[in-house]
Every structure is written in C-alpha cells, then in structure tokens.
Amino acid sequence: MSIDEALGPLFLLILLGAFLGWRRWPGDAFWPHLERLIYFLLFPAMLLATLATTDVSQVPVARLGVVLLGSMAVLATLLWTLRARLNLDAAAFTSVFQGAVRFNTYVGVAGAAALHGNAGATTAAVAVALMVPVVNVLCVASFVAAGTLGPSSVAKSLSALLRNPLILACLGGIVLNFSGIGLPGWSEKTVSLLGRAALPLGLVTVGVALRPQALMRLDAGVWTANLTKLILMPTLVLALAMALGLDPVSRDIALLFAALPTATSAYILARQLGGDAELMAALITGQTLLAMLTLPVWLFLVG
C-alpha cells in the first residue's frame, strides 16, 4: 500500500471531524462524552488486545526505546537549555514543551496499522507503552519546574499519571502476554471488537478539537514547537534508527511517531496545570494540519 493510500483516509476522518465540529453536530455536549469513552474504554481495549495476544518478541524493544526515548530526552534538554533565549513566560514555555514532545496516539496507531498491518499495529503498541509514561512524566515535570503548579496540583497530577488508562492497559497487556494467559475464551474477540472502534472515532475527535481561529497566532512559541516537533524530532529519530539498524517496519513506525502532531489532550492539561491554553490550541491545530503535508514526506524519504 502506498503512503498516500495509507494516510489519506486517516486525514479525511480528521477533516470530517473538523467539519462536524464546525457544524456543531450532533451537539457540543456529545463530543466530550465520546472522547472519554474512547480514552477510558475503547483505546485501552485496543492496546490491551494487541499487547496481550501478539508476538512482541519480533519487535526490537530495546533499540526502539533508545531511538524514541533518546530523541525525546535530547530535545527536551535542548528546549530547557534554550528557554532563556526564547523569551517566553512560564505558561507559554510549558505549552511549547508539550507541543514539542507530546504525540497524537490515535493518528500514530492508525497510521502504523495502515502502513504495515498487524506488524505495524504491534510495533505501535510497543511504542505507546514506551512513550506514554515517559512523555507524561516529562510534561508534568515541566509544569513543576516552570513554577505553574502548586503542591496540591503536583500530587493530583502524579495520581492521575498512576491511573492513566493507556498506561494501565499497556501494563495489563504485557503481563497477560508474558504470563501466557493472553485473553482466554470470548474475551479476546470482545476486547478486540471494542478496540476496533477506537481508531476511526479517535481520528474524528481529533478533527473536532481543531480550532481554526487559533491559527492566527504566529509567534516564537509557535515556530519553536512546530520546528522541534515536525522537523527536528523526525530528523533525530531517523538518524538514530539508521545508526542502530532498525528493521524497516520498526524504523517506519519510529519515524511515524516522531513526526506526529502533538496530542489534543495537551490543551486540557494546559488549562488544568497553568499553561498557555490559547497557545496550546494554536499548536494542536497548526501541527495537525501541517502534519498532513510533512508526515507523508518523511515516510516517502524512507521508501
């Protein structure tokens, strides 16, 4: 399958969501409930089913982790080193940080499955298991270090991290896989059916979350986050993947996750933890639209 054929339908679902959000159909109250259903039930079910029932031994977990987490650590350090030169206040910097290191999980997993089928979905699930805990810790730490959080907020953030449904689903899937239990009886088909609904619905909600009016904001924070996320991160990941000799599937999925736009959930975190929510909205919208151009280019470069 060509890159356009794999990614085109995903982008169309995002644009469908943007259209539905613009028309406010079926109503503003509908979408937050759907997002919660996807986040707490459908997407965890997909991760659990994938990790519990597939042969993850075929994925070079250690090298994939070095590539993805190493690149994330390098760029996070670079941002903190350049913080003074960026001349951003604490709230704006935390949004830039989220915009540079977070990734849209729905687009990543859907893209991986479209590009490489079951092998891609399995590698993507491993990538999520590696990256989600780390990126959440890094982002909460950025709010703490920037001084936008009080002690009570820190405790609440850490508690939410421990109860993160994606992290729990990944841990559960890994335990079930390595214990040999898997998903016995009807549970495998039931959980798999739930998981299949996650990706198309998740992509539509990505589109609903876009805020076109936020695109009017073009300042140092926007340029820094977009350059880091869409150019520097994929460049570093691709260089490391080639240096470590990742197989084509793992290399493609690592590059895919590196070139993803930031997560729509970053807007909620910015509002709750003292970030610049308007800047975050501009980053989410701008990166999602730009990634429709840059993501196919990155994947085309590696064939």
Side-chain angles (χ1 to χ4, degrees):
M1 181 181 293
S2 70
I3 294 169
D4 289 342
E5 289 176 333
L7 299 183
L10 311 186
F11 295 152
L12 287 178
L13 285 176
I14 293 173
L15 293 176
L16 171 62
F19 175 75
L20 294 176
W22 172 63
R23 293 301 303 268
R24 295 189 171 185
W25 189 88
D28 292 339
F30 171 79
W31 297 107
H33 293 296
L34 179 60
E35 288 172 0
R36 287 178 61 82
L37 177 68
I38 297 168
Y39 183 71
F40 285 100
L41 179 62
L42 301 183
F43 200 68
M46 192 217 68
L47 293 174
L48 181 67
T50 302
L51 290 171
T53 60
T54 56
D55 184 7
V56 295
S57 66
Q58 301 302 313
V59 180
V61 178
R63 285 180 292 155
L64 186 64
V66 169
V67 169
L68 292 172
L69 302 184
S71 300
M72 191 183 298
V74 168
L75 291 180
T77 303
L78 178 64
L79 284 172
W80 276 102
T81 303
L82 296 177
R83 183 187 174 190
R85 295 189 180 184
L86 294 175
N87 195 29
L88 298 171
D89 60 35
F93 178 78
T94 59
S95 292
V96 169
F97 190 87
Q98 284 203 92
V101 303
R102 279 193 177 278
F103 58 96
N104 195 304
T105 315
Y106 301 144
V107 180
V109 176
L115 286 168
H116 289 295
N118 290 334
T122 300
T123 305
V126 172
V128 170
L130 291 169
M131 296 174 73
V132 166
V134 174
V135 76
N136 277 279
V137 169
L138 284 175
C139 289
V140 171
S142 73
F143 285 103
V144 175
T148 64
L149 279 177
S152 61
S153 295
V154 173
K156 289 180 180 178
S157 299
L158 293 176
S159 175
L161 179 62
L162 294 175
R163 292 181 285 106
N164 185 298
L166 305 189
I167 296 175
L168 294 177
C170 289
L171 290 175
I174 292 169
V175 169
L176 289 172
N177 192 312
F178 284 94
S179 66
I181 298 172
L183 292 172
W186 292 351
S187 63
E188 179 178 351
K189 289 188 176 180
T190 302
V191 176
S192 296
L193 280 172
L194 276 174
R196 288 176 197 169
L199 295 181
L201 291 177
L203 291 170
V204 171
T205 61
V206 169
V208 172
L210 299 184
R211 300 289 180 266
Q213 65 274 17
L215 292 174
M216 300 303 295
R217 180 166 180 169
L218 292 172
D219 53 27
V222 171
W223 287 107
T224 300
N226 290 350
L227 177 65
T228 303
K229 188 71 190 75
L230 301 178
I231 305 297
L232 295 183
M233 180 72 84
T235 300
L236 184 54
V237 162
L238 182 57
L240 283 174
M242 295 177 68
L244 292 178
L246 283 184
D247 62 275
V249 172
S250 299
R251 178 204 63 203
D252 289 357
I253 303 312
L255 180 59
L256 171 67
F257 271 78
L260 291 172
T262 193
T264 54
S265 58
Y267 178 77
I268 298 172
L269 203 64
R271 283 196 309 177
Q272 292 177 340
L273 304 185
D276 186 332
E278 293 307 311
L279 173 56
M280 199 69 253
L283 294 176
I284 292 167
T285 302
Q287 287 186 16
T288 301
L289 296 176
L290 285 171
M292 293 184 184
L293 301 174
T294 59
L295 191 51
V297 171
W298 279 112
L299 293 171
F300 176 79
L301 288 177
V302 295

